[in-house]
Amino acid sequence: MGNFIADEKLENLRKYKYSGVDKSILSKYVLNPFWTWFVTLWPTWIAPNTITALGLGLVVFNLSTLFYYDPQYLTERDGATGPPKWVYFTWGLGLFWYQAFDAIDGYVDCVICEGVVAEGASGMLSKQARRTGMAGPLGQMFDHGCDSLNTTFECILSCRALNVGRSWWTVAAEIAALANFYLSTWEEFHTGTLYLGIFNGPVEGIILLCVMYTVTGIYGTSFWDKKFLAITHLDRLIARYYPELLYHIGNPGLNDAFFIFGAVQATFNIVLSYRNVYRARKAQKKYVLSPIGRFLPFLITTGFHVAWLSGSGPLSGKPHQAYILRSDLFLPFLLFWGFEFAHQVGRMILAHVTHQKFPYWDWSWVLVSVAAIDANAGFLFGSQPLIQRSPKACAIFMGVSIAYSLGAYARFCTLVIQDITNFLGIACFTVRKRDPVTGDWITSQELDSKRA
């Protein structure tokens, strides 16, 4: 088999059962009835993974429009004309339909709604995986892989729509978004259950972004620079009763308030996630503090990425210039970060479904650590960088880094898909299974009828 699943762990693929908790009111009463109807429009010869890939393709198309209209990732404040307003409507529509496509692929064997175990709860019995008989761990891997990529893609798009562009706000948003996803995967690894709270990223978070894109399409990106307290008239109320408070909090823009809300929500998720892990570990009579150590890979890689980003690079004579952040390389850097992150959480998800050891180490750390040290050579050693000595050298190195991270992730996906499909006898993008007797690839329905 491949390099990522030990032979003795392959049998665990047959034992895998999905478990999830979704307490979202919006999902239960609004979106899920829509998804249950929407899946009936798809013929049963279309594989669930194909639907998921098509959904991600919509987001990739949205990202391509950003590269076409604003490859430098500037804001109107920086003199950029930016994408036309109609583009933001397509970003909102693309994200909405990505959510719908992602929801109806339905790789679910068992769902727990509000603590009650029920087969096919929340209408999951009607989702495409159940309709085609293709539910299983491969779909779990593929679905999470697409979601991990979409996390970075939407961070890039949303920060452009909020008119922050090349700024530390965008970096903070990327860290918060990736941390939320890592935390959710980390939680599932330790509890065996994917928890979605009353307000969660895959449901309310996506709808909130869709609304934000729509508002940007109507009023433009400069709308988000307006002062939050002035728009809400809270400045008058505070000035009347707590005038000293205005001095301390200032008057943040709407985009600032958007990010502050995201930070509060991320903090809330951290607390809830650890509470769930704590309860699960205690019920299993295992150490409750050891899972915290498994958050270190994310913290370490994030530290390396921020250090590389904040380095002066070819401007080593001017410390703390954050060369990449203020150059055309910022957008490629975010993509590099996103591909590395997808690889990182992909290995964690694989360890979960195959019951392998937690993947602490990844060779990608070598690349990003070397890049971070080299970019900060002026500050650390008082010398010029060895690799990133000039803007041209930085651009070449960034291109090589993206190619490596994308290639490493593509290799991981290819090998894992091959291992799972070969062992379970299922296809990835078609509704076919391998007949264990003849070895022929036939439709799922034909194989089930033979077994009956």
Side-chain angles (χ1 to χ4, degrees), residues 114-317:
E114 299 179 357
V116 179
V117 180
E119 285 290 328
S122 296
M124 291 296 177
L125 276 172
S126 62
K127 300 298 189 284
Q128 191 73 355
R130 280 301 188 92
R131 296 173 73 219
T132 57
M134 296 290 288
L138 177 60
Q140 173 81 341
M141 290 291 303
F142 195 87
D143 183 86
H144 276 49
C146 290
D147 287 342
S148 63
L149 289 173
N150 183 56
T151 301
T152 292
F153 295 165
E154 288 303 330
C155 181
I156 292 171
L157 294 174
S158 61
C159 286
R160 181 60 187 86
L162 288 168
N163 206 32
V164 293
R166 300 177 187 175
S167 73
W168 287 108
W169 269 130
T170 300
V171 179
E174 172 77 347
I175 293 173
L178 299 186
N180 261 319
F181 195 95
Y182 187 96
L183 196 71
S184 177
T185 310
W186 168 87
E187 180 184 19
E188 186 177 4
F189 178 88
H190 291 98
T191 64
T193 299
L194 177 64
Y195 290 90
L196 297 177
I198 294 176
F199 186 97
N200 62 78
V203 181
E204 287 80 8
I206 284 182
I207 296 301
L208 184 62
L209 288 182
C210 291
V211 172
M212 183 271 292
Y213 289 137
T214 303
V215 172
T216 305
I218 296 173
Y219 298 105
T221 58
S222 60
F223 170 81
W224 300 104
D225 292 329
K226 293 183 178 181
K227 301 304 180 182
F228 173 75
L229 297 180
I231 288 288
T232 58
H233 300 296
L234 288 174
D235 54 345
R236 300 176 186 176
L237 184 66
I238 295 175
R240 182 175 180 181
Y241 296 103
Y242 307 101
E244 67 280 359
L245 188 59
L246 282 177
Y247 174 78
H248 293 291
I249 67 174
N251 196 356
L254 287 172
N255 40 24
D256 298 329
F258 199 95
F259 291 126
I260 292 171
F261 170 78
V264 172
Q265 189 259 341
T267 303
F268 185 69
N269 283 348
I270 291 173
V271 174
L272 289 183
S273 292
Y274 183 71
R275 184 194 66 176
N276 292 332
V277 171
Y278 178 87
R279 289 176 175 176
R281 298 286 289 187
K282 202 158 188 180
Q284 298 163 3
K285 297 182 178 181
K286 296 181 179 179
Y287 291 113
V288 296
L289 294 179
S290 58
I292 296 177
R294 290 167 182 155
F295 208 73
L296 284 176
F298 175 77
L299 296 178
I300 292 171
T301 54
T302 298
F304 281 140
H305 284 91
V306 172
W308 183 12
L309 187 64
S310 60
S312 301
L315 305 177
S316 57

Side-chain angles (χ1 to χ4, degrees), residues 354-383:
T354 57
H355 299 285
Q356 297 188 97
K357 292 182 179 180
F358 187 88
Y360 285 99
W361 168 258
D362 194 286
W363 281 103
S364 63
W365 289 20
V366 176
L367 173 63
V368 70
S369 60
V370 168
I373 294 171
D374 183 69
N376 289 277
F379 172 72
L380 295 173
F381 313 113
S383 62

